[in-house]
Amino acid sequence: MKVLLVGSLNTIFIFSYADYFIAKGYSVFILNTSSTVDINSTKYTGINLYEIKNHNTSDFGKIKKIVSYFKLDTMNIFWWLYSNFFEKKTLAISQQKIIRGVFEKYGFDFAFCFWGTTLRKEVDTIKKILRQSGSQTKLILSVSTYPVRYNVSKQRGFSWLLLKKDKKYFDLFDGLIISGELMKRAIIDYLSYKKKYLIMKDFLPSHFFGNDENKSKKDLIFLGNVRFSERTLDNVSSQLLAIADAGINVWVQYPCDLAHVNIKTFKPFSLQEISNGDLGRFMANFKASVVLYNNADNLRMGTTFPTRFALGMLGCHPVFIPAGIFNALEDLGDFVLTYHDINELINKFSSIQDKNINMKNYMLDGEVNKKRLDDFIKCVLNDN
């Protein structure tokens, strides 16, 4: 089986699905849409669609800080104007030639895409190439998070009209993997998607996980973005300081500009190190993980399977999430602990038992998930 994996190597789930398909004996080729992670720096076979740049040394970070400072990233009108007047609608001719060359050279049984609506230009080009060649290659998308940008309420209403333009995009795919019932209401019901779909989370493979029952654990770890000035949603500095003030050691990624005796830092793990299991082994040192966002309760939060949550699972310990926000996560299992405010989080963390949790049912290659995913792909491939 030949698989084209389409997406950014700046996301851990591309590594996750690549490892999963390779372990099954599939031939995997990655069309890398990241402009910061070079395919040649990984163990995978593939090609960079875009020129690799260092955004940290460009004006990109400065722009993000300005957008966050004025909270433009929380306004639907900002994203509407951006998508309609500033965002490129088609790929450059040179990039279209890269994709065409990949299909002509290799040929694929299916293309597996990740994530959401971030691949509009790439998928539109792929679909045109397939139509022109008469190829029967199927397209599958793991949506994972929807919508990516707009601040839309969980309840169907006027704001959902912003989603209408996504119908044509989703209809390009022969199959969708969606996170739960809330995403189903938005994409399958509201946008009337008529093809195959599977309700399943984007779990990680077993070799990513760590487990050490012999260690005594007492600290809390936060795996989110600590560049608080770049995105309003990620500015959780006050919550982290409140937890630290309660006498709990909170570990965050370096560099972080928060100064507190109970805030510790660790060097970020590369995506390659995560896929090697290094982060999982490090996470085994902690009593629990925490998911924090800045005052967000909308459709996106209700449908998403956040990377910081998925990575928290690697420690085989409880993961705290804010109550009533992440609809797709709350029913996962006893290891998911909810909190309404920071005081409740502190109290629950102090009272939980130091124990390891069997995460077998939450691994991408666990027997149940493997069968569901394999059966879904087979069903899409056989659908004429």
Side-chain angles (χ1 to χ4, degrees):
M1 188 87 73
K2 293 182 179 181
V3 183
L4 175 67
L5 199 54
V6 184
S8 170
L9 278 169
N10 202 31
T11 61
I12 189 59
F13 291 111
I14 294 297
F15 288 72
S16 174
Y17 281 111
D19 286 356
Y20 177 79
F21 291 134
I22 290 171
K24 291 184 65 63
Y26 294 176
S27 173
V28 176
F29 188 95
I30 298 179
L31 181 65
N32 176 32
T33 62
S34 173
S35 59
T36 58
V37 179
D38 189 343
I39 184 73
N40 298 310
S41 69
T42 73
K43 61 185 178 183
Y44 304 114
T45 301
I47 193 169
N48 297 317
L49 184 59
Y50 303 105
E51 179 184 355
I52 302 300
K53 300 177 181 178
N54 184 357
H55 282 168
N56 293 328
T57 60
S58 70
D59 293 332
F60 186 72
K62 295 177 182 178
I63 294 172
K64 291 178 70 175
K65 289 181 180 180
I66 293 172
V67 168
S68 176
Y69 180 80
F70 290 104
K71 292 184 168 48
L72 297 176
D73 52 350
T74 65
M75 301 177 185
N76 287 334
I77 185 63
F78 169 81
W79 290 118
W80 184 87
L81 289 170
Y82 175 80
S83 63
N84 283 280
F85 296 101
F86 300 99
E87 193 170 45
K88 292 182 179 179
K89 299 296 189 295
T90 58
L91 291 179
I93 297 299
S94 60
Q95 292 153 355
Q96 294 182 37
K97 287 182 177 179
I98 290 175
I99 296 178
R100 188 178 300 277
V102 166
F103 274 92
E104 289 177 351
K105 182 175 181 179
Y106 297 100
F108 301 98
D109 296 287
F110 69 96
F112 191 97
C113 307
F114 182 91
W115 57 278
T117 54
T118 62
L119 299 171
R120 293 180 192 276
K121 301 186 298 295
E122 295 85 354
V123 171
D124 186 59
T125 297
I126 289 173
K127 197 68 176 181
K128 287 179 180 177
I129 291 171
L130 294 179
R131 286 169 178 163
Q132 291 169 359
S133 66
S135 171
Q136 297 302 307
T137 299
K138 303 287 186 172
L139 299 184
I140 297 173
L141 170 70
S142 174
V143 183
S144 187
T145 297
Y146 183 71
V148 173
R149 292 170 175 161
Y150 288 124
N151 183 10
V152 176
S153 65
K154 290 179 180 177
Q155 299 301 319
R156 180 170 171 173
F158 180 77
S159 63
W160 279 40
L161 291 174
L162 291 166
L163 309 181
K164 284 290 188 180
K165 68 182 182 67
D166 296 328
K167 176 174 172 52
K168 289 183 179 180
Y169 171 74
F170 288 125
D171 284 344
L172 294 174
F173 295 93
D174 301 287
L176 300 179
I177 298 175
I178 59 179
S179 64
E181 288 299 322
L182 185 57
M183 189 180 284
K184 177 182 178 294
R185 293 206 300 269
I187 298 176
I188 309 302
D189 301 336
Y190 182 70
L191 297 181
S192 300
Y193 181 78
K194 301 298 185 184
K195 301 175 188 176
K196 306 293 184 183
Y197 70 91
L198 171 68
I199 297 179
M200 180 177 167
K201 311 292 190 295
D202 291 301
F203 295 120
L204 303 174
S206 55
H207 65 274
F208 284 29
F209 287 72
N211 196 345
D212 192 335
E213 298 179 357
N214 298 318
K215 292 182 178 178
S216 177
K217 306 153 193 177
K218 60 180 182 179
D219 293 350
L220 182 68
I221 186 168
F222 169 70
L223 293 167
N225 184 6
V226 293
R227 297 188 296 275
F228 302 127
S229 62
E230 292 187 0
R231 202 166 70 136
T232 303
L233 192 64
D234 284 328
N235 191 352
V236 295
S237 52
S238 61
Q239 294 99 307
L240 291 171
L241 288 171
I243 298 171
D245 283 341
I248 297 172
N249 286 334
V250 187
W251 290 70
V252 301
Q253 297 182 68
Y254 174 88
C256 175
D257 58 4
L258 296 181
H260 195 290
V261 66
N262 292 327
I263 291 184
K264 317 293 184 180
T265 60
F266 64 93
K267 183 179 179 295
F269 287 79
S270 69
L271 295 170
Q272 191 67 62
E273 289 172 330
I274 296 172
S275 69
N276 290 339
D278 295 341
L279 177 62
R281 286 184 284 274
F282 176 71
M283 295 288 291
N285 293 296
F286 296 91
K287 187 176 179 181
S289 301
V290 62
V291 173
L292 297 169
Y293 280 97
N294 184 18
N295 193 27
D297 184 13
N298 53 29
L299 181 62
R300 172 177 178 164
M301 291 296 102
T303 64
T304 192
F305 190 79
T307 300
R308 64 192 66 178
F309 175 85
L311 297 181
M313 297 170 65
L314 299 183
C316 299
H317 56 216
V319 181
F320 284 94
I321 63 173
I325 307 296
F326 297 97
N327 299 54
L329 306 181
E330 289 198 5
D331 62 352
L332 272 180
D334 294 339
F335 75 93
V336 180
L337 303 180
T338 61
Y339 63 92
H340 291 86
D341 53 41
I342 294 301
N343 285 334
E344 183 179 7
L345 166 61
I346 291 169
N347 291 333
K348 283 190 173 182
F349 176 80
S350 300
S351 62
I352 62 174
Q353 298 296 315
D354 178 10
K355 63 178 181 179
N356 285 277
I357 300 170
N358 186 347
M359 303 299 292
K360 185 177 180 179
N361 291 334
Y362 307 102
M363 295 173 177
L364 182 61
D365 51 352
E367 287 302 317
V368 174
N369 291 324
K370 181 169 62 175
K371 184 178 189 312
R372 294 182 66 217
L373 181 58
D374 291 353
D375 286 350
F376 175 69
I377 292 174
K378 186 182 300 183
C379 182
V380 172
L381 293 180
N382 292 332
D383 185 19
N384 297 316

